[in-house]
Amino acid sequence: MSGEPRPPTSDLSTPSRFWRRLGAEHTDALDRHGMERVKRTQALRYFTWRWRPGKLARSEQLRFLVRHSHASDWRAALRLPWGASGPEWDGVEWSGSERRAYVLAVRLLWCYALRHGDPVVIALDEPTLGAPLPVRLGGQLISQDLANSALEVTAIVRALGDHQPTRIVEIGAGYGRSAYALLHRFPNARYTVVDIEPAASISRWYLSTLFPGRVEVIDPSAAGALSAGGFDLGLSISSLQEMRADQIDGYLSLLDRVCAGGTVYLKQWAEWHNPDDDTVARLADYPIPARWQLRFTGRCPVQTHFTQAAWVVPAAEPGAWRAK
């Protein structure tokens, strides 16, 4: 029946070929650099973007920011000091021009997020845990991760309406940037991350340090034990497209079950080719459960090759779902 949650359809504990390869690379990076520098290593392979001067013109994010930046944004972004040198950059093997390009882009993004991002999130300082790149604006330690999270939280709040979630589940949290923003935005919420290694260990370290007692991180093999209807917000940001088609369906089934009576937010590449598994994932073709009620969908600001969408998931009839 379309009004009932769907049973699981995939073994979620076996990563795609793409994530097996990437996980091995991330594990190697952790062995070499440790957790303490995660925002300068693994984060650059999650959602922290690196801008090289010779490739700026080809960046859809920079083109968006150029079109949407005000004169005051440029004045703020170009304000000295750049802070693109000195001991805080030790170990970052970028040229001076690449550092300056990075500082400029992050400042422009921050100025955009100041106007369009969630005010609670954009007022936060980037945590020094994980050694973020030292970009400042007006004395505030800023980052593109925090700016992007502020924009995403704006969309999530729009989807939630007046509801204040108390239980949040995220599929694939990276090092925990979204959780950091949402746990500040909803201070009474508890957070569950479903992820594979080594990201699971990274986010467990990061989030338990910043929010002791409010976060649990579980392996996908344990996701079946999550309570039906136990979460009022579920999200996945740039993680589903890197999975096999059966896994995408499996995670949507999981969200359908555990977020029954709540809200789901997705932000994924509109279309992305997974080279290791030789699959193409299009968000428009995801097997969204028919019972979900669309709140909104559209191309994302800044990352215009991404689409974001949110749905209300109707509550299930008592006993409608049972594991198979």
Side-chain angles (χ1 to χ4, degrees), residues 23-100:
E25 294 175 4
H26 287 190
T27 299
D28 179 66
L30 275 180
D31 290 341
R32 287 185 287 113
H33 302 293
M35 296 281 194
E36 292 74 16
R37 296 173 59 83
V38 70
K39 292 178 180 175
R40 302 184 182 205
T41 54
Q42 278 87 345
L44 291 167
R45 309 194 72 173
Y46 291 144
F47 212 78
T48 301
W49 305 79
R50 180 177 175 180
W51 289 291
R52 294 174 172 85
K55 299 182 178 180
L56 290 178
R58 287 182 284 172
S59 169
E60 43 100 16
Q61 296 189 58
L62 264 296
R63 291 197 298 270
F64 178 95
L65 291 172
V66 167
R67 291 195 304 270
H68 293 84
S69 292
H70 298 173
S72 59
D73 300 338
W74 286 101
R75 287 194 295 271
L78 294 169
R79 184 180 303 153
L80 296 178
W82 281 94
S85 61
E88 287 185 306
W89 287 88
D90 285 351
V92 181
E93 298 177 354
W94 298 1
S95 67
S97 59
E98 183 172 357
R99 293 179 187 182
R100 288 188 292 273

Side-chain angles (χ1 to χ4, degrees), residues 86-262:
E88 287 185 306
W89 287 88
D90 285 351
V92 181
E93 298 177 354
W94 298 1
S95 67
S97 59
E98 183 172 357
R99 293 179 187 182
R100 288 188 292 273
Y102 184 87
V103 171
L104 173 64
V106 173
R107 286 178 172 179
L108 287 176
L109 173 60
W110 193 264
C111 289
Y112 179 84
L114 279 169
R115 290 192 300 277
H116 301 281
D118 184 84
V120 173
V121 178
I122 205 65
L124 300 170
D125 284 298
E126 174 64 31
T128 57
L129 186 66
L133 294 169
V135 182
R136 289 179 173 81
L137 189 62
Q140 183 180 9
L141 183 62
I142 65 174
S143 72
Q144 58 172 302
D145 276 351
L146 196 51
N148 284 322
S149 294
L151 295 171
E152 292 155 3
V153 171
T154 292
I156 290 170
V157 169
R158 174 186 170 193
L160 289 167
D162 295 330
H163 183 67
Q164 299 282 310
T166 59
R167 291 294 308 278
I168 303 172
V169 60
E170 182 176 6
I171 309 302
Y175 69 83
R177 71 170 182 89
S178 301
Y180 173 75
L182 286 166
L183 286 168
H184 275 288
R185 184 60 174 78
F186 303 112
N188 295 321
R190 295 178 62 85
Y191 210 96
T192 296
V193 172
V194 181
D195 214 339
I196 62 174
E197 294 294 351
S201 291
I202 295 170
S203 61
R204 184 180 293 112
W205 164 77
Y206 185 74
L207 295 172
S208 64
T209 302
L210 296 174
F211 303 98
R214 293 181 65 191
V215 179
E216 67 170 347
V217 181
I218 65 172
D219 184 84
S221 62
L226 295 175
S227 299
F231 297 88
D232 37 12
L233 173 62
L235 66 146
S236 167
I237 297 175
S238 191
S239 60
L240 295 182
Q241 75 271 337
E242 296 160 349
M243 303 176 188
R244 302 186 310 268
D246 65 295
Q247 291 177 311
I248 294 173
D249 184 74
Y251 275 112
L252 291 174
S253 295
L254 174 68
L255 292 172
D256 187 40
R257 182 175 69 85
V258 303
C259 295

